[in-house]
Amino acid sequence: MNNAFFLLILPSRSLTIHFGSHRQCVGLSLRGSCTSTTDATHLLSTVQQLLERHPTQAWIDTQQLHSLSPLGRQALLRADACCRRAGTEVYWCGMPSPLVKSLQVSGLAHKLKLRPATAFKGPSFLLPERKAIGLSIA
C-alpha cells in the first residue's frame, strides 16, 4: 500500500487542513486562519495524525494561510517541535509575506524551516488549484 494515496480534509470554522500522503511522502495544506485555541488544537491534532505515519519529512503548504495570532504562531512552533521530537523534518512552504514578517517580529521565523512555495515536495494534490493564465492553442 505504499503507492496508494490518502487525502483527508479536516475543516473547522476558520482553519481547514488538507492532509495527504503518497508513496511515503506526507504533507498538509493549511487554509484560512489559525487564530483561536480551537484552530491551534486542530493543527496540533492533525500533526499528531501525520506523525502516526512515521515520516522522515513532512511538507506543509501555507500559501492559503491568511492570518496567525500569537496563539497561532505558537501552534506552528509547537507542531514543528513535535515533528522534530519524532524525528521528522518539517518544511513550511509558501508562507505569505505578512505572516513571515509576523514570525520575524516575534522571533520565531528562525526556528521554522521556511521555504518558497516552489520548494514543496509533498503530495501535489494537496496544493491549491492554480488558475489557468490565458493560454490558447490554435
Side-chain angles (χ1 to χ4, degrees):
M1 290 295 267
N2 285 343
N3 291 332
F5 75 89
F6 167 76
L7 173 64
L8 180 62
I9 300 173
L10 303 161
S12 76
R13 198 174 110 248
S14 56
L15 178 66
T16 299
I17 302 174
H18 294 225
F19 167 32
S21 67
H22 180 65
R23 297 184 181 195
Q24 299 182 349
C25 183
V26 298
L28 303 175
S29 180
L30 308 181
R31 302 173 188 200
S33 300
C34 189
T35 56
S36 69
T37 302
T38 302
D39 298 334
T41 301
H42 183 48
L43 174 60
L44 293 170
S45 67
T46 305
V47 166
Q48 289 301 321
Q49 288 178 354
L50 178 143
L51 292 174
E52 288 172 7
R53 296 180 142 339
H54 307 288
T56 57
Q57 294 181 334
W59 298 87
I60 302 179
D61 169 59
T62 59
Q63 295 176 78
Q64 292 188 345
L65 187 60
H66 303 300
S67 62
L68 286 170
S69 68
L71 185 61
R73 289 191 298 269
Q74 286 300 317
L76 263 58
L77 189 62
R78 287 182 61 206
D80 193 83
C82 286
C83 288
R84 277 188 278 113
R85 281 192 304 273
T88 300
E89 290 289 324
V90 63
Y91 300 94
W92 304 86
C93 301
M95 184 82 62
S97 295
L99 300 185
V100 171
K101 287 179 184 170
S102 77
L103 289 169
Q104 289 169 335
V105 167
S106 67
L108 299 178
H110 72 282
K111 295 182 179 188
L112 302 173
K113 291 184 178 183
L114 299 173
R115 301 290 186 264
T118 55
F120 185 82
K121 292 184 179 134
S124 61
F125 58 81
L126 290 175
L127 296 174
E129 288 187 30
R130 305 268 189 250
K131 296 195 185 227
I133 51 171
L135 297 175
S136 70
I137 301 173

